[in-house]
Amino acid sequence: MTISVLGAGAFGTALAISLSQKTPLQLWARSSEHVQEMSRDHENKSRLPDRPFPAALAVTPDIDRAAEVDILLLAVPMQQLRSFLQEHREALDGKTLVACCKGMDLTSGKGPLEVIADSLPGARTALLTGPSFARDIAAGLPTGLTLACADDDLGRQVQEALSTPVLRLYRSDDVVGATLGGALKNVIAIACGAAMGAGLGESARAAVLTRGFAEMQRLALHKGANPNTLAGLSGFGDLVLTCTSAQSRNYRLGLSLGKAEAFDDKITVEGAATARAADALAREEGLDMPITSAVAGLVEKRLDVRQAMHDLLSRSLKEE
């Protein structure tokens, strides 16, 4: 099956580098100037420097040309997904769309596949998620991911097309669990980064990670997810990675919040919007998600880390 990657951020570029070693493919970028730079340099210096492009990787600003394939990987930021789909509906219609973004739409509270369904009803879709850093994938380091697809036959076809000797995909039909695991782990990563940035220590981070995982499970199970999904790559696996490494943009945002330092607002941090969306959803559904609520307060600048920690530690004692 033929493949294109739409979106030349770090993750989209990494997927294109990895998969083009298996089959020729195209990487689409919106900016013609960015395409010219990548074509000249044979790498994406602005988003993923020092990771050269294989000869089989072509870049293009022409989405109609890029869409002349069987499978399109949508590697655009979650909060831009809806507008992207609406803008390019004609080019994307009738294709198999694999969402490679994690998060919840701030306006609707929906995940990526629900957003696709709103814009392209009847589209064949899957979700690629799990513990992965762009630089690791582009370097050819072993990585395990979850491919969530409600259609088992389609899932098998996409799994085969996107798997490589070092990029191993595990198939799941639990779209809800995979979606919420990938979205909510970013929120908990911000909380863990904030704890470390404020100097609260690794024991505090472990507690935040663990209790944050309980919140992830609470919302996911409420929405009908399989509990085993949250214990897998798209839940616990991704949570551990993003809560313990400064390669994670969400964790780095948390570090900045904990240190009361400025953070580059040009960097996309999906967990910031997801925290707000998840907090609103939890309140609407009557679910207790105090860490998520605290992160929403931090990113909205209603709380500082000291106040957030006080609020969490002053809660009533209870059983685990």
Side-chain angles (χ1 to χ4, degrees):
M1 300 182 79
T2 53
I3 304 165
S4 286
V5 178
L6 306 184
F11 193 65
T13 301
L15 288 173
I17 290 172
S18 178
L19 293 171
S20 64
Q21 297 179 59
K22 176 180 180 179
T23 183
L25 60 75
Q26 295 182 87
L27 172 64
W28 173 84
R30 182 182 298 276
S31 166
S32 295
E33 182 179 350
H34 190 196
V35 168
Q36 291 173 359
E37 291 172 354
M38 290 189 289
S39 297
R40 179 193 67 217
D41 300 331
H42 302 291
E43 66 176 271
N44 189 345
K45 285 188 174 180
S46 63
R47 299 299 181 90
L48 195 64
D50 303 319
R51 291 292 184 263
F53 290 174
L57 173 55
V59 291
T60 180
D62 185 344
I63 197 162
D64 291 316
R65 177 183 171 189
E68 293 176 347
V69 295
D70 301 311
I71 300 174
L72 293 172
L73 305 187
L74 306 184
V76 298
M78 180 65 214
Q79 303 309 318
Q80 297 175 22
L81 180 60
R82 188 179 298 276
S83 61
F84 172 83
L85 294 168
Q86 292 170 350
E87 180 181 356
H88 301 295
R89 181 184 290 110
E90 188 172 332
L92 304 180
D93 191 34
K95 304 296 181 181
T96 294
L97 306 177
V98 180
C100 302
C101 47
K102 303 172 183 178
M104 297 170 64
D105 179 53
L106 183 56
T107 302
S108 66
K110 295 180 178 181
L113 297 194
E114 293 175 294
V115 171
I116 293 173
D118 286 346
S119 299
L120 295 166
R124 300 186 302 274
T125 61
L127 176 71
L128 187 64
T129 184
S132 54
F133 287 139
R135 296 195 67 80
D136 292 349
I137 291 176
L141 299 177
T143 303
L145 297 173
T146 296
L147 181 77
C149 184
D151 182 329
D152 190 60
D153 288 339
L154 178 63
R156 290 177 185 276
Q157 293 173 28
V158 176
Q159 180 187 33
E160 179 65 28
L162 302 185
S163 294
T164 76
V166 291
L167 192 63
R168 184 174 177 84
L169 272 58
Y170 291 82
R171 197 174 65 256
S172 171
D173 63 1
D174 183 11
V175 171
V176 172
T179 297
L180 290 175
L184 298 174
K185 60 89 185 180
N186 285 333
V187 178
I188 308 308
I190 295 173
C192 286
M196 294 301 288
L200 301 180
E202 294 187 358
S203 297
R205 176 173 61 181
V208 170
L209 189 156
T210 307
R211 296 310 304 160
F213 184 52
E215 291 190 16
M216 291 169 57
Q217 292 176 303
R218 194 172 301 139
L219 179 56
L221 296 182
H222 178 76
K223 287 296 185 179
N226 183 330
N228 292 330
T229 304
L230 274 294
L233 289 167
S234 61
F236 182 71
D238 213 354
L239 177 69
V240 171
L241 184 71
T242 52
C243 289
T244 58
S245 174
Q247 284 195 66
S248 164
R249 290 169 292 180
N250 293 280
Y251 184 74
R252 293 203 307 273
L253 172 61
L255 285 173
S256 297
L257 291 169
K259 295 176 180 178
E261 295 177 350
F263 189 80
D264 186 354
D265 59 9
K266 296 185 181 67
I267 297 175
T268 300
V269 182
E270 297 287 14
T274 297
R276 298 167 61 194
D279 182 44
L281 180 60
R283 293 176 187 277
E284 180 180 322
E285 302 284 346
L287 298 175
D288 185 31
M289 297 181 64
I291 296 175
T292 301
S293 181
V295 173
L298 289 174
V299 299
E300 291 176 343
K301 302 188 185 305
R302 293 184 284 103
L303 295 175
D304 59 24
V305 172
R306 187 175 300 278
Q307 181 62 52
M309 187 56 62
H310 174 270
D311 291 348
L312 289 172
L313 293 178
S314 61
R315 287 165 49 86
S316 299
L317 298 176
K318 61 179 183 179
E319 292 183 353
E320 187 170 25

